[in-house]
Amino acid sequence: MPTAVPERSAGLPEDAPRSVRTAPTGRPRELPRGTTRAAASVGALAVCQAALMIGLGFLITGPARHLWPMTAEDGVNRGLERLRTSTLTTLSSIGSELGNTGTVIGVTLAACLALILIPRLPWWRQASFLALSVALQSLVFLVVTIAVERQRPDVHRLDGSLPTSSYTSGHTGAATAVYGGLAVLVLSRIRSPWRRVPAALLFLLPVVVGVCRLYRGMHHPTDVAGGVINGALSLLVVGHALLRDGRVSAPAALPEVPEAARAERLPGRVAVVVNPTTVDESARDELRRVLAQHGHREPVFLETTAADPGGGQAARALDEGAALVVVCGGDGTVRAAADRLAGSGVPLAVVPFGTGNLLARNLGLPLTPAEALDAALGGAPRVIDLARIEGDGLPATHFAVMSGVGLDAAMMTYAEEHDRAKALLGWPAYVLAAPKAMRGPRMGLSVRLDGGQPLRRTARMVLVGNTGELQGGLRLIPDARPDDGVLDLLILDPQGPGGWLRTVSALLLHRKRDGEEGDGQPEFRTFRRAEFTFDAPEPREIDGDPVGTGLRLAVEVVPGALTVLVPNRES
């Protein structure tokens, strides 16, 4: 029988009574925040887009076919046929190839991989925008060519063609989606005043493709115009869902810090904790600019060191009377600072400069540093829980996100041993370390939850979470919330390839069970205090930082320990 676990609260005060429940079964699980809304928006607008394109096709081939400019199209195609030369034909072949299916797919894949792997922080939203725009254009193109029948121009065609309608131009539509999408990203993500030059060249490429398709006798001018419209609408539809909002929604129902305390604390001295190896002078200037916009004009920058990744700097900020501490770094730096800020009431603003930045993600902050700081300062203070952890060889400390034993800790240890791969790839370096980590043996352990009877388990990984969201919006622990006064336990023990497939499926679909042992499915539990004893020394990690091997761990929640600045939900 499963043990009793504390009932979750929605922002209840620390001394409020809590009821007792068992782990729920059969409840539908939420998708990552904003996924359902974005999918519904894209789906509804895509239907409208397809209907509009089909309507234009029926108009061109029906009532308007005897009207100008449709009556002049044949003359345009014949005129271009008369202009053909060997040089122009060769150039048109190259230009047409820019919109070919293989080229478009290759450019899209290369661009998406670059957006994910090259920046310090992966641009998942921008990569999704580009890939979905190209995919939506292709889908609408197929629907339109089935619904609208139009013969190709009555001229000698230089290319072979599939038995599809001339309306719309698929080459031009695909080129508009991929190169126009890249131009949008250049204008929105690059700060150089010269960004308009590459953006203009990218916008010009669909025009080049369209002209080449006309020259080669493959489409009427209105077919090319339809392709441009289809590609542009695809960018607008997907961009509306993914790019209109630079951040995910902030956590709901976090308890407010009293307004009097907010007014007393926020004005005054601001300390900015930075890692000098990742936050250069230009980044500091950008942070100063954002702080000045919010009335903080003389921030004090405190640099971390290899021996002190943020805790000492946060303690110094408190000693010097800081009313706000801004921490620029990854989860390890944020954890070290939060450990010292716990219980102080001084607000913490998280600015992501690290590999995982899971706390920033779970607080609903953008992952671009300046945008994250602006969103935090424009938001409001909230109080969240921390977890206090200690064990053999591990002094007591706090963490804000997750702590793990076994597979995840081994992955992070292997990734730390290859600094160059981690610096180049970012968090995907952890994934590359997974095969080596998975070759390790399963571990045996006993866990005692809230003073109950010890539970005997075997596992590949044991994870304690104060928050539940990972990169890409994946909620590894669906119910974990940083403000509910409890912590969440996940035990994974897949066996063989089939077991891993079932485990991954259960995690992606947010399926939970009631804690029965032995079926290899993910086991979820909720607790206030847990004590772990392992049969052999196991690798451990706290908020992404390996902390060595050990035989024991004790973890307990500290409700409302930390004040953080989070974006307003309506912003």
Side-chain angles (χ1 to χ4, degrees):
M1 293 294 292
T3 60
V5 294
E7 176 72 17
R8 296 185 172 278
S9 65
L12 292 176
E14 181 180 348
D15 58 352
R18 298 179 184 272
S19 59
V20 175
R21 63 168 174 84
T22 58
T25 59
R27 281 195 300 149
R29 298 297 168 200
E30 295 180 350
L31 292 171
R33 288 177 304 202
T35 300
T36 302
R37 182 179 62 182
S41 175
V42 170
L45 291 175
V47 171
C48 296
Q49 175 184 341
L52 175 62
M53 296 305 302
I54 292 172
L56 289 175
F58 286 158
L59 180 65
I60 291 170
T61 58
R65 68 179 182 275
H66 300 302
L67 301 177
W68 187 91
M70 271 63 71
T71 54
E73 288 189 294
D74 290 340
V76 173
N77 287 114
R78 287 192 292 268
L80 290 173
E81 183 181 33
R82 290 192 294 269
L83 292 175
R84 290 175 183 172
T85 66
S86 60
T87 301
L88 290 177
T89 298
T90 300
L91 292 175
S92 70
S93 176
I94 297 172
S96 180
E97 188 66 24
L98 292 173
N100 196 22
T101 300
T103 303
V104 169
I105 292 175
V107 171
T108 303
L109 287 176
C112 290
L113 287 174
L115 290 169
I116 294 170
L117 298 179
I118 292 178
R120 180 187 294 115
L121 304 175
W123 291 356
W124 285 106
R125 187 187 296 266
Q126 287 74 23
S128 300
F129 160 73
L130 186 64
L132 289 177
S133 296
V134 174
L136 176 59
Q137 182 281 144
S138 300
L139 178 62
V140 173
F141 163 75
L142 290 175
V143 172
V144 171
T145 56
I146 293 172
V148 181
E149 296 184 2
R150 192 182 197 191
Q151 296 297 318
R152 296 187 184 272
D154 188 19
V155 296
H156 174 65
R157 296 190 288 274
L158 299 180
D159 295 324
S161 60
L162 295 173
T164 56
S165 171
S166 180
Y167 176 88
T168 63
S169 170
H171 280 64
T172 309
T176 302
V178 65
Y179 302 121
L182 288 173
V184 170
L185 296 181
V186 167
L187 291 174
S188 63
R189 304 303 302 181
I190 297 179
R191 300 176 184 174
S192 169
W194 294 99
R195 68 185 185 276
R196 293 181 178 84
V197 175
L201 293 175
L202 287 167
F203 278 128
L204 184 62
L205 290 181
V207 178
V208 171
V209 172
V211 171
C212 291
R213 299 302 287 170
L214 291 175
Y215 175 90
R216 301 180 71 80
M218 302 307 298
H219 296 285
H220 305 279
T222 48
D223 302 332
V224 170
V228 173
I229 294 173
N230 186 32
L233 287 176
S234 298
L235 293 174
L236 288 173
V237 167
V238 179
H240 173 78
L242 297 183
L243 298 185
R244 61 173 178 164
D245 182 353
R247 61 188 74 103
V248 294
S249 58
L254 288 178
E256 286 269 7
V257 170
E259 188 66 28
R262 180 183 176 186
E264 176 185 346
R265 271 292 185 184
L266 285 184
R269 183 181 178 88
V270 176
V272 184
V273 178
V274 298
N275 183 336
T277 63
T278 58
V279 185
D280 58 21
E281 194 58 37
S282 63
R284 298 187 195 197
D285 289 341
E286 186 71 6
L287 297 174
R288 290 188 184 96
R289 181 186 63 80
V290 175
L291 286 166
Q293 289 177 347
H294 290 269
H296 305 293
R297 301 192 180 278
E298 296 184 1
V300 176
F301 283 81
L302 305 175
E303 295 186 352
T304 64
T305 65
D308 189 348
Q313 293 76 12
R316 175 183 166 187
L318 290 178
D319 292 341
E320 295 178 355
L324 170 65
V325 176
V326 179
V327 178
C328 304
D331 289 311
T333 303
V334 173
R335 181 190 66 79
D339 182 55
R340 298 298 182 92
L341 294 175
S344 69
V346 175
L348 166 67
V350 178
V351 180
F353 269 95
T355 302
N357 302 299
L358 294 183
L359 183 59
R361 297 171 192 270
N362 282 273
L363 294 179
L365 289 164
L367 295 183
T368 302
E371 294 178 5
L373 181 57
D374 180 63
L377 296 176
R382 301 289 192 271
V383 292
I384 65 172
D385 308 330
L386 291 177
R388 184 179 184 275
I389 185 170
E390 60 182 324
D392 53 321
L394 179 63
T397 186
H398 295 86
F399 67 86
V401 183
M402 298 178 186
S403 177
V405 181
L407 176 62
D408 68 320
M411 290 167 53
M412 292 170 185
T413 300
Y414 294 144
E416 291 291 336
E417 293 173 353
H418 298 81
D419 290 337
R420 293 183 61 184
K422 183 180 176 183
L424 177 63
L425 300 178
W427 66 263
Y430 296 136
V431 179
L432 296 179
K436 183 176 180 180
M438 291 171 64
R439 290 197 292 267
R442 297 161 69 199
M443 58 184 167
L445 69 142
S446 296
V447 55
R448 183 192 300 269
L449 302 177
D450 295 323
Q453 291 296 318
L455 305 174
R456 185 66 188 172
R457 294 290 185 266
T458 58
R460 286 283 184 180
M461 182 175 76
V462 173
L463 193 68
V464 174
N466 187 42
T467 63
E469 185 171 316
L470 301 180
Q471 289 87 351
L474 172 65
R475 291 197 65 82
L476 184 62
I477 307 178
D479 289 340
R481 289 173 50 88
D483 67 316
D484 56 6
V486 292
L487 299 173
D488 288 74
L489 171 64
L490 168 61
I491 299 177
L492 293 181
D493 190 28
Q495 302 178 37
W500 279 106
L501 288 175
R502 288 190 295 272
T503 295
V504 172
S505 174
L507 293 175
L508 290 177
L509 297 176
H510 295 167
R511 292 199 301 263
K512 290 177 61 176
R513 64 185 182 88
D514 61 4
E516 295 296 330
E517 181 187 6
D519 60 4
Q521 291 295 302
E523 178 179 350
F524 294 86
R525 291 179 180 271
T526 309
F527 65 89
R528 290 177 179 157
R529 177 177 173 83
E531 300 170 20
F532 300 90
T533 303
F534 302 96
D535 294 351
E538 300 292 345
R540 303 173 294 187
E541 60 86 10
I542 301 177
D543 279 357
D545 289 336
V547 292
T549 61
L551 292 168
R552 296 187 306 277
L553 276 181
V555 189
E556 63 180 324
V557 68
V558 185
L562 184 66
T563 302
V564 293
L565 299 184
V566 300
N568 289 320
R569 282 170 297 181
E570 63 272 13
S571 64

